[in-house]
Amino acid sequence: MRLLVIEDETALSEVIRAAFTDEKFEVDLAEDGETGYLLGSSGMYDAIILDGMLPEMDGYDVLRKWRQGQIHTPVLMLTARSELEDKLKGLGLGADDYLTKPFDMEELVARIRVITRRQGAVQIDYLELEDLRLNLDSGVIVNTETQQEVRLGKKEFQLLELFMRNSGQTLRREQIAEKLWGYDCEAEYNNVEVYISFTRRKLKYIESRVLIKAVRGIGYRLEKRND
Ligand code: CA
């Protein structure tokens, strides 16, 4: 389960992150509405915790833009005690639930479990492209023709998942750095290259036809090998 927390009170978001990490969630944090909106627009999250009052773009605008853009990830909104109107507004905009601050962390975890279960869709536990299968539970990649397999490290897994969910698209280095490390920072660009090379080595090891191609001056793209 992957959770996005959009909250500008960093002390609170760190507590939320710790609580959900204990529950085996992968947690990403965003501190302002604009960043949160962009991350949530990837559609990669199983649930999103969204604060109402945020810098850059407030939580209600973020939610409105997602729903208009057909992003239907379950959203739980956090509201201040006095904002009764805001709660109603949030639900009207398509929030799945809300909690008033201050709240009990166990309550938050329980509510998130409910809204993620409510999705009801069959859980897809792998992604496939050509002869490549990525198991989302175990982080193992398999060549479905030869059954050769190898386990990916955590960052390699996140990297390949990002590519497979956006296959055919060229991803910019900055986009990848932001996805893997939570922010866009010059120092992480070299790391992107390092993990691309690790991941390439593993794709080669299982002799998959899928490869990560560098697109000069732009970034990287997942492609089928021509031979
Ligand atoms: Ca706030």
Side-chain angles (χ1 to χ4, degrees):
M1 285 283 181
R2 189 166 291 205
L3 179 69
L4 174 62
V5 180
I6 310 174
E7 166 59 76
D8 56 324
E9 289 168 53
T10 51
L12 176 57
S13 56
E14 286 299 341
V15 173
I16 296 175
R17 191 212 309 252
F20 281 91
T21 303
D22 283 349
E23 299 290 323
K24 308 286 179 237
F25 279 75
E26 290 271 347
V27 183
D28 291 334
L29 302 183
E31 287 180 30
D32 65 79
E34 184 72 40
T35 308
Y37 169 73
L38 292 174
L39 285 173
S41 298
S42 67
M44 287 180 60
Y45 295 96
D46 298 295
I48 298 171
I49 295 173
L50 176 63
D51 187 28
M53 301 295 283
L54 290 167
E56 307 297 334
M57 191 194 306
D58 84 23
Y60 304 96
D61 287 337
V62 170
L63 181 59
R64 183 182 300 117
K65 282 184 74 176
W66 279 333
R67 296 311 190 226
Q68 282 170 354
Q70 303 303 311
I71 300 290
H72 296 295
T73 308
V75 170
L76 181 145
M77 290 211 68
L78 299 178
T79 58
R81 188 185 291 275
S82 57
E83 298 169 338
L84 175 65
E85 261 180 53
D86 287 349
K87 289 170 200 166
L88 300 174
K89 191 160 91 179
L91 292 174
L93 289 170
D96 296 80
D97 202 355
Y98 67 85
L99 261 185
T100 304
K101 293 181 185 177
F103 51 82
D104 191 68
M105 206 51 65
E106 281 177 25
E107 177 74 22
L108 179 63
V109 172
R111 300 276 195 103
I112 288 294
R113 291 230 176 269
V114 170
I115 66 173
T116 51
R117 229 177 283 135
R118 210 186 277 162
Q119 273 185 297
V122 177
Q123 198 75 29
I124 298 167
D125 52 7
Y126 60 85
L127 298 172
E128 274 189 346
L129 182 69
E130 296 287 331
D131 59 359
L132 175 64
R133 174 181 294 172
L134 170 63
N135 287 311
L136 297 174
D137 289 339
S138 60
V140 168
I141 52 172
V142 184
N143 181 324
T144 52
E145 287 167 13
T146 64
Q147 305 307 317
Q148 289 163 283
E149 61 173 59
V150 66
R151 184 180 302 276
L152 299 179
K154 187 177 170 190
K155 291 293 175 199
E156 297 161 357
F157 170 77
Q158 291 174 350
L159 182 72
L160 194 61
E161 184 187 9
L162 181 66
F163 276 116
M164 291 184 80
R165 289 193 191 271
N166 297 279
S167 67
Q169 288 182 42
T170 301
L171 301 176
R172 287 176 294 109
R173 272 195 316 183
E174 304 87 82
Q175 259 179 303
I176 298 169
E178 197 170 319
K179 185 62 220 155
L180 268 63
W181 287 277
Y183 49 91
D184 173 9
C185 159
E186 199 75 36
E188 307 297 0
Y189 296 167
N190 290 333
N191 281 343
V192 169
E193 277 160 35
V194 169
Y195 284 101
I196 294 261
S197 91
F198 289 163
T199 308
R200 277 177 171 154
R201 224 172 287 168
K202 291 193 175 171
L203 290 172
K204 203 168 173 186
Y205 176 79
I206 63 163
E207 300 180 86
S208 173
R209 286 194 304 273
V210 174
L211 55 82
I212 300 171
K213 186 174 189 294
V215 182
R216 188 189 278 266
I218 304 177
Y220 301 91
R221 180 170 67 212
L222 218 50
E223 272 193 10
K224 189 182 139 188
R225 201 171 56 215
N226 297 310
D227 54 12

